[in-house]
Amino acid sequence: MTATTAAAEQLHLSRRARRARTGGPGERGPKVLEHVLGWTLVVVLALLVTRAGLM
């Protein structure tokens, strides 16, 4: 294995290791939930506004 392929393999492994982290509920859970609920609220408000004929 040459130095270039060894460096490329190490870079690939480090990227895979970063992606493999699950984060757990403390790191990502509430933020994802906030985003989903926020976009749900936006869609519901848009539906109500268009149904009421305000736009």
Side-chain angles (χ1 to χ4, degrees):
M1 189 181 292
T2 65
T4 305
T5 41
E9 181 68 23
Q10 185 64 29
L11 179 64
H12 178 69
L13 289 175
S14 68
R15 283 185 183 164
R16 190 174 354 154
R18 274 186 273 155
R19 260 188 280 142
R21 292 180 51 212
T22 60
E27 289 181 23
R28 291 196 60 176
K31 288 184 181 180
V32 172
L33 182 62
E34 286 177 18
H35 283 283
V36 169
L37 291 176
W39 280 108
T40 304
L41 179 63
V42 168
V43 169
V44 168
L45 284 175
L47 285 171
L48 290 174
V49 165
T50 53
R51 292 281 181 171
L54 299 174
M55 283 188 99

